[in-house]
Amino acid sequence: MKQTPTPVTPRSALHTRLEELAFCDESDFKALDDLLMTREEVDAGQWIVREGEDIELTHVVMSGWATRYKTFADGRRQILEFLLPGDIIGLYTVMLRRADFGIETLTPVTLSAYPAASLLALASRNPRLVFALGWLAGQGERRLDEHVTRVGRRGAAERMAHLFVELYVRLRRIGFERGECRRFPLTQVVLADALGMSHVHANRTFRSLARDELVDFENGCIVLKDIMRLAVRCRFDPGYLEQPAAPDDVHASLGESA
Amino acid sequence: MKQTPTPVTPRSALHTRLEELAFCDESDFKALDDLLMTREEVDAGQWIVREGEDIELTHVVMSGWATRYKTFADGRRQILEFLLPGDIIGLYTVMLRRADFGIETLTPVTLSAYPAASLLALASRNPRLVFALGWLAGQGERRLDEHVTRVGRRGAAERMAHLFVELYVRLRRIGFERGECRRFPLTQVVLADALGMSHVHANRTFRSLARDELVDFENGCIVLKDIMRLAVRCRFDPGYLEQPAAPDDVHASLGESA
DNA sequence: CGCAGATTTGAGATCTGTCAAGGGATGTGG
DNA sequence: CCACATCCCTTGACAGATCTCAAATCTGCG
């Protein structure tokens, strides 16, 4: 019988995502494991990265929830994305050195980290793995694209429903079971900062969804009650979360060099 | 006397940006030139990439303006970013194969393109160049971050002013002269789609800025009249556009393998 | 218990969207 | 050359969405 103290065992979320790509072989996964030897536990509500800080390590979320955000001098805040297990923080922020965003945990979080140069060293020995990580970065950028359209072109209820469905799909994909992928440790203030609205309006919008029995609030957690209807409500198109395989010529090119 | 038919000679914008990085040597630039041999002229208002289309080539904008955007079935549209000379379209969209965004020209555009596998082949011979391109991708992601906060957390006038200043800074950086970097070939509908507001409100907001003599509309072009006051109006912080050098360990690591 | 943080609700002000209409510039065909 | 269509900018009026201010409730915690 397996002993899994956390819902998702460390590293498995990242493995799960890369396995879907069907691109890396055993030596790649081995190299990844070697890269991610370190483990760090962080409490909820803590900073992982401070805005404006120089970054020397690339972090990988192994378990827990975090947010990446920007703040204004006057206190306004915009959450750029939610970081879930298997997400890499600033794959090339390392190249840029300075982070102009902050990272804060929403729950206790387990992190791994590696220095930028390690990844570069890996490039010559495990090019497919480096490519796969770049592919993860590409997925992150697509989600950011969708976040722009969500905030820019959707009404409040549609916007909130859309975020909920995205989070649900992402959680499912990394192996969370039926119950766990519907429970979000999100405060309504956090929700408001992610969706670009006031916390008062976030509450009203949430209440409205709750009246329609699409969501509920239990024990400080947001709970999705009817994902299908939520998806319909916001005309959710999962295209931007899909994980297509790499083109053949890329396969060929990396196959040689491996 | 130089013969320069276009304000920015082909390829120079990309060169200019990479030179600022002070990271690539002559052999890298040579490899870049070889990569970007093709040239394609596209009229204004044309598609370069259609939404949902499979992409097999990575495009680089050599001259002209284009937009990257997403549309909804009901006609709503959100512009994700403006593409200027030296910008690379979907550096790793190639990895993801399918583009879930469209690219459309605002002016006549000159493009270069190369197949994804070429870049991978380059990785072993010119790792610094590939790194530098990734660094450009990182800058793009930062701009997208800022776009999210702009749309999510700024009022209409502040939002518009902020976009204007960003475009100004980007144009300056790639070598446009004083006059040229203040003239934008933007329709107010385009502005509205970028800023996430209705075209009517975009017009009112623009008029309001024009009344304050911050901008003007001449000959179908938006013209910035007072950049300093625009920057003050939106508390513009250029941090996210800065181009820090790569960390030392990255230098060291790539120096060896070159 | 008392505090701190989170949710919830109301009321009024403000912002923004929609609908509608007019004007100016440009291009096309007769 | 004119008539006409098209595209874009502009404005007004009104409806609706959203923000701010304010206050009440609730919950977990020391």
Side-chain angles (χ1 to χ4, degrees), chain B residues 203-243:
Chain B
N203 174 268
R204 274 193 261 268
T205 304
F206 185 80
R207 284 289 100 211
S208 152
L209 293 179
R211 263 193 303 281
D212 295 344
E213 296 184 322
L214 298 170
V215 297
D216 199 4
F217 187 75
E218 301 170 3
N219 268 358
C221 270
I222 286 167
V223 181
L224 307 194
K225 308 300 277 187
D226 191 331
I227 286 135
M228 286 312 296
R229 278 171 56 225
L230 273 173
V232 169
R233 175 79 165 246
C234 62
R235 300 172 197 280
F236 191 84
D237 175 357
Y240 73 103
L241 293 174
E242 279 167 14
Q243 318 207 29

Side-chain angles (χ1 to χ4, degrees), chain A residues 55-56 68 70 72-74 76-81 90-101 115-118 120-121 130-132 134-142 144-155 158 189 192-199 235 239-251 253-254, chain B residues 55-56 68 70 72 74 76-81 90-101 115-118 120-121 130-142 144-155 158 189 192-199 235 239-251 253-254:
Chain A
I55 289 187
E56 67 284 349
R68 192 165 71 86
K70 299 185 78 153
F72 292 32
D74 62 13
R76 281 177 286 179
R77 192 170 82 116
Q78 177 65 50
I79 288 177
L80 304 169
E81 63 177 326
L91 189 53
Y92 33 38
T93 296
V94 172
M95 304 183 192
L96 300 166
R97 184 138 58 170
R98 183 175 301 274
D100 58 345
F101 51 77
S118 302
L120 295 171
V130 174
F131 179 89
W135 172 80
L136 286 182
Q139 290 191 307
E141 192 167 88
R142 288 181 140 195
L144 204 52
D145 286 352
E146 192 64 34
H147 196 35
V148 173
T149 76
R150 186 158 49 208
V151 171
R153 283 303 188 199
R154 290 180 188 276
E158 192 189 4
V189 172
D193 284 342
L195 299 176
M197 59 178 86
S198 70
H199 77 279
R235 299 172 196 281
Y240 73 103
L241 293 174
E242 278 166 15
Q243 319 207 29
D248 293 338
D249 59 348
V250 170
H251 265 285
S253 178
L254 288 178
Chain B
I55 289 187
E56 68 283 350
R68 193 165 70 86
K70 300 185 79 154
F72 292 34
D74 62 13
R76 282 177 286 180
R77 192 168 83 116
Q78 176 65 50
I79 288 177
L80 304 169
E81 62 177 326
L91 188 54
Y92 32 38
T93 297
V94 172
M95 304 182 192
L96 299 167
R97 184 139 57 170
R98 182 176 301 274
D100 58 345
F101 52 77
S118 301
L120 295 172
V130 174
F131 179 90
L133 293 178
W135 172 82
L136 286 182
Q139 290 191 307
E141 192 167 271
R142 287 180 142 196
L144 204 51
D145 286 351
E146 193 63 35
H147 196 36
V148 173
T149 76
R150 185 158 50 208
V151 171
R153 283 303 189 198
R154 289 180 188 276
E158 192 190 3
V189 172
D193 284 342
L195 298 176
M197 59 178 86
S198 69
H199 76 278
R235 300 172 197 280
Y240 73 103
L241 293 174
E242 279 167 14
Q243 318 207 29
D248 292 337
D249 58 348
V250 170
H251 265 285
S253 179
L254 287 177

Side-chain angles (χ1 to χ4, degrees), chain B residues 39-54:
Chain B
R39 280 303 132 79
E40 187 185 355
E41 307 286 336
V42 182
D43 286 341
Q46 300 297 305
W47 282 341
I48 296 175
V49 173
R50 298 177 198 226
E51 283 181 273
E53 193 178 50
D54 276 4

Side-chain angles (χ1 to χ4, degrees), chain B residues 104-202:
Chain B
E104 199 173 321
T105 58
L106 295 175
T107 68
V109 162
T110 309
L111 291 173
S112 288
Y114 60 86
S118 301
L119 187 60
L120 295 172
L122 212 60
S124 55
R125 276 177 294 124
N126 297 81
R128 282 194 309 268
L129 177 59
V130 174
F131 179 90
L133 293 178
W135 172 82
L136 286 182
Q139 290 191 307
E141 192 167 271
R142 287 180 142 196
R143 286 200 306 265
L144 204 51
D145 286 351
E146 193 63 35
H147 196 36
V148 173
T149 76
R150 185 158 50 208
V151 171
R153 283 303 189 198
R154 289 180 188 276
E158 192 190 3
R159 209 184 305 179
M160 188 175 287
H162 194 275
L163 174 62
F164 287 160
V165 177
E166 174 183 315
L167 290 172
Y168 168 79
V169 172
R170 288 174 62 192
L171 288 174
R172 291 227 56 167
R173 197 154 279 172
I174 57 176
F176 280 82
E177 299 301 327
R178 295 201 68 72
E180 288 168 335
C181 55
R182 298 155 182 264
R183 302 180 64 81
F184 306 156
L186 300 178
T187 283
Q188 292 188 1
V189 172
V190 169
L191 257 189
D193 284 342
L195 298 176
M197 59 178 86
S198 69
H199 76 278
V200 175
H201 202 60

Side-chain angles (χ1 to χ4, degrees), chain A residues 157-158 160-162 164-165 182 184 205-218 222-234:
Chain A
E158 192 189 4
M160 188 175 286
H162 194 274
F164 287 160
V165 177
R182 299 155 182 264
F184 305 155
T205 304
F206 185 81
R207 283 290 100 209
S208 152
L209 293 180
R211 263 193 302 281
D212 295 343
E213 296 184 323
L214 297 170
V215 298
D216 199 4
F217 186 77
E218 301 170 1
I222 286 167
V223 181
L224 307 194
K225 307 300 276 189
D226 191 331
I227 287 135
M228 285 313 295
R229 279 171 56 224
L230 273 173
V232 169
R233 176 78 166 247
C234 62

Side-chain angles (χ1 to χ4, degrees), chain B residues 11-32:
Chain B
R11 193 184 318 121
S12 77
L14 188 51
H15 271 199
T16 301
R17 294 182 68 183
L18 292 181
E19 273 161 7
E20 271 193 56
L21 180 56
F23 189 67
C24 296
D25 63 16
E26 272 311 310
S27 74
D28 293 326
F29 283 118
K30 176 68 168 55
L32 182 62

